[in-house]
Amino acid sequence: MNKIIKMAQVGNVDQNADCVIVIEPSENGNEILLESLVKAQYGDAIIASAQDELKKYDITNAKLTITDRGAIDCVLRARLEAVIKRGMGV
Amino acid sequence: MLFIPGANPKQIMFAATMGADSVIFDLEDSVSPLEKDSARILVRNILSTLDFSAIEIIVRVNSLNSPYWQADLDEIVPLKPAIIMTPKSETPDDIKTFAAYIEQVEEKHGIEKGSVKIMPLIETALGIENAFLIGKSSERVVALFLGAEDYSADLQCKRTKEGNEIDYARKRIVNAARACGVEVYDTPFTDAHDDEGIWADAAYAKSLGFTGKSSISPRHVDAINISFSPSQAEIDYAYEVIAAIAEGKAKGQGVVALKGKMIDAPVVLRAERTIAAAEQLGLGRK
């Protein structure tokens, strides 16, 4: 099992088609907060991708705050991978 | 060739629609040191997901004197981009170091050895002096590329729109590339808002023998494409040359003339290259 050991951030909120993700250690298991203009349409898919990336890195103590600006899945997953690695201190 | 910053998802996603034949996804100067990791992952994810088959993919990795170049190659080479652009290329050993590491990654991922080519970015005084040796340093080298911003800084002179300060480098790099039998690309015209200056700069680069020219702005792509494509008159003349040669051969003539001018071997070679370029660009005879 891997741990998130520090707060980290990735992405640019000023760019369309991007998202900003903040990761920090959580004492309540994985928590995912999402803010997105397309939450009604794609919220479930975004959260599923986030859960999938956390699972890939065997993380169970992350609080993720995602502010989405219309990122497609491969961009969202790139941001998730980067922020998880930073949070792990890799 | 269009430069696209590796940290900007939107620009990467739409890179194939900007009209450039080749796109250079940049992990070096346009990406801050704090975002090297995220840009590398971003470029890898987008290139491996979206369809970029209509363009030639080039990735500029970080230089050998940075701590990033190996991680860049670890992520990018498995995608089999056409070309890796190696910045700050100064000596043949620089290219051999990159080539050896690319080979390791190819081997690790079961990619045929030599698939990923190299385009050294030459942007220092030493690099220009070593251009021929750099071009000959590896079978992977397919083109040389002039980077004028760093080069003029290295010369300790101002970079101007007229470009007198890079004239020696331009001529030297074209000569070196042609002596090596590789292609050669000119530095970007960096005033993205000067829609007139790009035409003169591109025409001058073409007149020196450059294969093509790069741009940091999609606004300049059309001017570059048009400047480096053969004109209709050049295409028509090339076909006339080839036809005249064929006719001369059929008649058993040793010397062939067209419109009062003798057609010798270099004229034929130029005509053949013009036709090849026209066919590649989908341009035909009128």
Side-chain angles (χ1 to χ4, degrees):
Chain A
M1 191 186 298
N2 293 311
K3 290 272 179 204
I4 296 302
I5 57 171
K6 61 180 181 182
M7 181 186 265
Q9 180 176 322
V10 73
N12 186 345
V13 79
D14 296 326
Q15 287 180 166
N16 283 331
D18 202 350
C19 59
V20 173
I21 306 179
V22 177
I23 198 166
E24 54 197 307
S26 160
E27 291 177 358
N28 308 311
N30 287 337
E31 302 172 75
I32 302 168
L33 306 175
L34 172 65
E35 185 191 311
S36 172
L37 289 173
V38 292
K39 191 170 177 176
Q41 296 88 347
Y42 299 107
D44 290 347
I46 293 170
I47 287 170
S49 292
Q51 286 169 336
D52 190 44
E53 289 296 320
L54 289 170
K55 194 173 170 191
K56 220 184 262 180
Y57 291 91
D58 201 13
I59 299 288
T60 55
N61 75 320
K63 180 181 175 190
L64 284 174
T65 306
I66 303 171
T67 308
D68 173 49
R69 292 290 309 272
I72 60 172
D73 192 58
C74 64
V75 172
L76 173 71
R77 284 178 182 269
R79 296 316 197 188
L80 286 162
E81 179 180 336
V83 83
I84 290 169
K85 285 178 173 171
R86 287 181 184 180
M88 289 166 63
V90 175
Chain B
M1 281 186 179
L2 177 65
F3 277 94
I4 294 287
N8 187 317
K10 193 175 177 185
Q11 287 193 40
I12 301 170
M13 283 160 53
F14 290 102
T17 66
M18 302 291 181
D21 308 309
S22 309
V23 174
I24 303 166
F25 297 95
D26 182 30
L27 299 178
E28 201 216 11
D29 284 352
S30 69
V31 178
S32 86
L34 293 175
E35 295 302 330
K36 295 293 187 189
D37 59 339
S38 65
R40 185 186 298 133
I41 295 168
L42 184 68
V43 169
R44 179 253 277 157
N45 267 23
I46 298 178
L47 291 189
S48 61
T49 305
L50 303 185
D51 181 8
F52 289 94
S53 56
I55 55 166
E56 181 180 52
I57 294 175
I58 302 169
V59 178
R60 177 162 74 168
V61 297
N62 284 281
S63 63
L64 291 176
N65 61 8
S66 78
Y68 312 116
W69 66 277
Q70 287 168 311
D72 291 344
L73 294 174
D74 288 338
E75 295 289 357
I76 300 301
V77 170
L79 305 175
K80 292 195 276 181
I83 297 172
I84 294 290
M85 174 186 259
T86 59
K88 314 281 188 300
S89 301
E90 291 197 303
T91 68
D93 282 348
D94 291 348
I95 307 307
K96 286 175 185 161
T97 302
F98 274 115
Y101 198 81
I102 290 171
E103 189 171 325
Q104 277 183 41
V105 183
E106 283 177 342
E107 210 171 288
K108 191 175 164 188
H109 291 270
I111 298 168
E112 191 185 342
K113 182 181 157 184
S115 303
V116 178
K117 306 300 183 193
I118 290 176
M119 179 164 64
L121 168 54
I122 299 180
E123 48 187 341
T124 63
L126 179 59
I128 288 295
E129 293 304 318
N130 283 334
F132 175 74
L133 298 174
I134 290 170
K136 280 283 183 197
S137 61
S138 166
E139 289 290 314
R140 289 179 192 268
V141 175
V142 290
L144 301 181
F145 190 107
L146 174 64
E149 301 309 307
D150 283 305
Y151 173 71
S152 50
D154 199 32
L155 289 187
Q156 301 179 32
C157 66
K158 195 177 166 190
R159 177 84 173 95
T160 67
K161 210 178 269 192
E162 296 72 32
N164 292 331
E165 69 283 359
I166 62 167
D167 215 35
Y168 169 74
R170 277 175 153 169
K171 290 168 180 170
R172 178 82 188 248
I173 200 171
V174 168
N175 196 75
R178 296 308 180 199
C180 295
V182 300
E183 303 298 341
V184 58
Y185 293 91
D186 191 34
T187 190
F189 181 72
T190 50
D191 186 345
H193 301 291
D194 185 349
D195 293 336
E196 299 299 317
I198 179 62
W199 286 94
D201 199 52
Y204 183 59
K206 188 190 179 191
S207 78
L208 294 179
F210 280 98
T211 312
K213 184 172 175 65
S214 58
S215 174
I216 55 167
S217 168
R219 286 167 66 118
H220 290 170
V221 168
D222 281 350
I224 292 170
N225 282 345
I226 293 167
S227 298
F228 280 89
S229 301
S231 68
Q232 193 59 53
E234 287 169 334
I235 296 167
D236 291 344
Y237 179 70
Y239 279 110
E240 285 175 20
V241 167
I242 299 303
I245 287 289
E247 195 183 327
K249 267 189 188 165
K251 288 180 182 170
Q253 292 171 340
V255 179
V256 176
L258 177 64
K259 296 174 184 172
K261 285 185 184 169
M262 195 182 80
I263 303 173
D264 51 14
V267 175
V268 175
L269 183 61
R270 196 174 295 125
E272 287 170 346
R273 284 179 176 157
T274 300
I275 291 170
E279 285 176 353
Q280 202 179 355
L281 294 164
L283 304 171
R285 188 181 186 178
K286 268 201 175 164

